[in-house]
Amino acid sequence: MSTRTVAVASTSGLHARPASLFTQAVTESGIDVTIAHGGNSPVDASSILLVMSLGVPHGDEVTLEADGDEADRVLDELAALLGRNLDEAS
Amino acid sequence: MTLQGAGVGRAGVIGPVVRVSPAPAAPTNEAVPADRDETAQRVEQAFDDVAAGLLAQAATAQGAAVSVLEATAQMAQDPALRKQTLARVRDGEPPVTALDAVIGGFADMFTKAGGMLAERVTDLRSVRDRVAALVLGTPAPGVPVLTEPSVVVADDLAPADTAALDLRCVLAIVTERGGTTSHTAIIAGQLAIPCVVRVAGAMDLAEGTVVAVDAAAGTVEPNPSEATAAAFAERARVARQLAEDTSAGATADGHPVNLLANIGTAEDADRLAVGSVEGVGLFRTEVLFLGRATAPTREEQAAVYTRVLTSLGGRKLVVRTLDAGADKPLAFATQPDEENPALGIRGYRLVRTAPELLETQLGALADAQEATGVEPWVMAPMIATVGEARDFAAAARRHGIRTVGVMVEVPAAALRAEAILAEVDFVSMGTNDLAQYVMATDRLCGELSDLISLWQPAVLDLVAATAAAGERTGKPAGVCGESASDPVMAVVLTGLGVTSLSMAPAAVPTVRYAIAQHTREQAQAVARAALGADTADAARAAAVAALRPEVVQVLAL
């Protein structure tokens, strides 16, 4: 089991556009990834509805989790994505 | 039988009806599927088809519609939404009932979260409606793909439906509900698409029926006669002829009335050919802010303002600072818990909660002024007190804005217009909001559209008082609401002493003509006739009766 904890850098938090880019990246990775915020149970990170429902504001930490050979590489990429301000990415 | 409603615009068009189907409800006692796996597969296929359809639509759409359609497609593809729905179906729940339960759960969660998430509930419902229609085998809800110029008939159109319309194929819009000041009607007016709202029986018109839509008369005539077709053709000919006149707005005896356009984007400014209008009387800057997670930066705004000033080539530009709140919520500025947003923190009042928004905007306007050497006029919306006008003027002047004004759309400001004009250089009346607040009537409430008529005596009285204050102080008092686009009202406003009229560009030719056909004194007589009436209908009738008969005939009033 691999995990990464990262602060969400996007100015609007994990909402609309950042949530859309993040969940698309998870889907493209082809592996099952979960995302947890605060004390709540982890949710499917490929679901834009569940990810948006977490209501993660700018600067809050989230924890990503995945299993398997690809897990470390994928989680590094996803953590890097969340570490960027996706509201300003063109 | 000819159907009657309220018209927006002046044009008359004839074409076949295309109906916008309402969302299909889950059948009461929806049958439990016999083969659960087969049904689950069918539901999954419906999700796929809806997502694919939305993406295909996004590929051919333009502007804001693209992101609306893509976001909705992503929801249709959402794994959690599917998993939960399919699990319920496999457990033996009927498919649309299962879908409603799952969508309802997400919608509740989003609504409770408020703010930006709450705004996505419309997208969720749109996914629900489309998937449900496929599962039930009923026609797809929402606006169908138009293959030929058509009259779009709907119960009511959501803003997303309007965004998804292929406007090249929309001859006219007819709705059974809605009001003349609803956003769909306003968008239709801006795009010069004739629109008739509140047409009882519109949804009974069969798909494909040829109808004559008369926006001026507010009528929809199925299977129109040759005479109607000929009258429409004549009206179109007159409209083309009037559009060729590009002289400056003035009465017959040369009293000038600035004819200006209302715009929302830099692209709108690009389209204003020289000669068509004398400038822009209302640049609605909130379009720059809507649908964004964060406010645009000073640099970003300055670039847009510079572009608009440049496109206008020195013609007048009146910029309205951010008018958000109420029916135009902003993710980063709106108070989620207001009971009465129309009476809450909106327009200029945002300085109380987010003062940096106005500061950044004024700075950006000053930058654009610096970059182009052209001075924009700048005004604030929703001013209610002399103190607010004074504070806004001070802030704008601190940034180097030379001509500062305020909107008069709160009755308090109209009653104290002279004191407000002592603080600022000009006022501009927003007649839709003014009527909303004078008549205590939600402008989006179609049921009360008679009350919110701009011809209501009380509304006319406040407009007259504001115009008179402008004359006494020698400062410009304009109108930038929808009322300026009605040629009859335009003559009344001219008679009251209004100095500029700002409207949808398409309305300018008829307004220019109506004003030019009357001397100032004749316009004053028309205004007196309107002010002397007891009811809204009587006021308009009295004004029409006081117009020169040639004008009534040419404009088919």
Side-chain angles (χ1 to χ4, degrees), chain A residues 12 20 23 46-50 53, chain B residues 74 78-80 109-110 117 293:
Chain A
S12 66
S20 165
T23 52
S46 68
S47 162
I48 188 167
L49 295 175
L50 293 177
S53 326
Chain B
Q74 204 178 0
D78 193 80
M109 193 152 56
F110 280 22
L117 273 185

Side-chain angles (χ1 to χ4, degrees), chain B residues 308-334:
Chain B
V308 172
L309 281 169
T310 310
S311 312
L312 293 178
R315 281 179 286 171
K316 179 174 175 176
L317 171 65
V318 184
V319 179
R320 178 174 71 190
T321 58
L322 181 60
D323 184 22
D327 56 340
K328 293 173 282 196
L330 282 189
F332 45 89
T334 305

Side-chain angles (χ1 to χ4, degrees), chain B residues 142-487:
Chain B
V143 179
V145 176
L146 302 176
T147 51
E148 59 171 333
S150 310
V151 174
V152 174
V153 177
D155 182 41
D156 199 3
L157 279 180
D161 293 330
T162 318
L165 279 176
D166 179 357
L167 298 171
R168 288 164 301 185
C169 282
V170 180
L171 284 175
I173 296 174
V174 173
T175 65
E176 186 143 337
R177 293 187 296 145
T180 52
T181 55
S182 70
H183 285 281
T184 298
I186 289 174
I187 290 169
Q190 289 281 347
L191 297 168
I193 295 174
C195 181
V196 184
V197 299
R198 293 195 59 70
V199 181
M203 289 303 282
D204 299 334
L205 290 167
E207 183 93 13
T209 311
V210 173
V211 292
V213 180
D214 188 338
T219 56
V220 179
E221 179 188 353
N223 308 312
S225 63
E226 297 264 328
T228 304
F232 282 11
E234 172 62 12
R235 204 191 299 175
R237 190 191 62 74
V238 171
R240 276 194 303 276
Q241 199 181 335
L242 295 184
E244 283 168 16
D245 182 2
T246 55
S247 53
T251 57
D253 52 341
H255 172 71
V257 180
N258 268 199
L259 299 181
L260 307 166
N262 295 344
I263 65 168
T265 63
E267 289 74 27
D268 293 342
D270 293 343
R271 282 192 284 268
L272 297 175
V274 174
S276 63
V277 290
E278 290 153 65
V280 166
L282 173 64
F283 177 23
R284 300 185 169 100
T285 55
E286 55 276 9
V287 178
L288 275 168
F289 292 76
L290 292 174
R292 295 180 50 126
T294 53
T297 62
R298 175 163 172 166
E299 292 71 28
E300 227 174 304
Q301 292 188 52
V304 175
Y305 305 147
T306 301
R307 182 168 158 208
V308 172
L309 281 169
T310 310
S311 312
L312 293 178
R315 281 179 286 171
K316 179 174 175 176
L317 171 65
V318 184
V319 179
R320 178 174 71 190
T321 58
L322 181 60
D323 184 22
D327 56 340
K328 293 173 282 196
L330 282 189
F332 45 89
T334 305
Q335 311 288 312
D337 309 323
E338 290 186 327
E339 292 263 346
N340 275 315
L343 305 179
I345 297 187
R346 53 165 301 200
Y348 175 73
R349 300 168 178 190
L350 284 169
V351 292
R352 293 162 187 252
T353 52
E356 68 286 355
L357 287 174
L358 181 64
E359 282 300 311
T360 307
Q361 189 168 26
L362 290 172
L365 284 162
D367 293 347
Q369 174 172 291
E370 180 85 10
T372 57
V374 186
E375 293 184 1
W377 292 24
V378 179
M379 64 183 180
M382 279 297 285
I383 293 291
T385 69
V386 175
E388 286 174 344
R390 185 185 305 130
D391 291 346
F392 173 71
R397 292 190 179 118
R398 237 185 349 262
H399 282 277
I401 304 296
R402 208 79 66 95
T403 310
V404 182
V406 298
M407 296 276 298
V408 171
E409 47 197 337
V410 177
L415 290 167
R416 303 294 296 172
E418 193 160 343
I420 282 178
L421 275 164
E423 302 293 338
V424 296
D425 306 306
F426 70 98
V427 292
S428 184
M429 288 166 258
T431 43
N432 281 337
D433 267 328
L434 185 60
Q436 155 166 289
Y437 294 119
V438 175
M439 303 304 296
T441 302
D442 186 338
R443 57 191 268 195
L444 305 181
C445 181
E447 187 61 36
L448 299 174
S449 56
D450 57 318
L451 282 183
I452 203 164
S453 161
L454 303 163
W455 291 95
Q456 280 289 350
V459 179
L460 287 177
D461 279 349
L462 286 186
V463 170
T466 308
E471 288 197 317
R472 280 198 300 276
T473 54
K475 291 182 177 177
V479 166
C480 59
E482 295 303 309
S483 63
S485 62
D486 171 359

Side-chain angles (χ1 to χ4, degrees), chain A:
Chain A
M1 179 73 69
S2 306
T3 68
R4 298 288 184 281
T5 297
V6 56
V8 172
S10 296
T11 32
S12 66
L14 214 36
H15 280 129
R17 178 173 157 77
S20 165
L21 294 174
F22 172 71
T23 52
Q24 278 174 25
V26 172
T27 307
E28 280 160 22
S29 77
I31 67 170
D32 289 341
V33 180
T34 63
I35 179 169
H37 172 243
N40 300 319
S41 7
V43 300
D44 180 352
S46 68
S47 162
I48 188 167
L49 295 175
L50 293 177
V51 169
M52 286 200 302
S53 326
L54 292 176
V56 184
H58 166 76
D60 265 26
E61 287 192 338
V62 292
T63 302
L64 308 177
E65 236 177 59
D67 267 332
D69 302 341
E70 292 283 278
D72 280 310
R73 182 185 60 78
V74 167
L75 291 191
D76 281 340
E77 285 173 14
L78 293 174
L81 187 69
L82 292 181
R84 288 192 355 236
N85 186 353
L86 300 175
D87 282 313
E88 287 181 358
S90 54

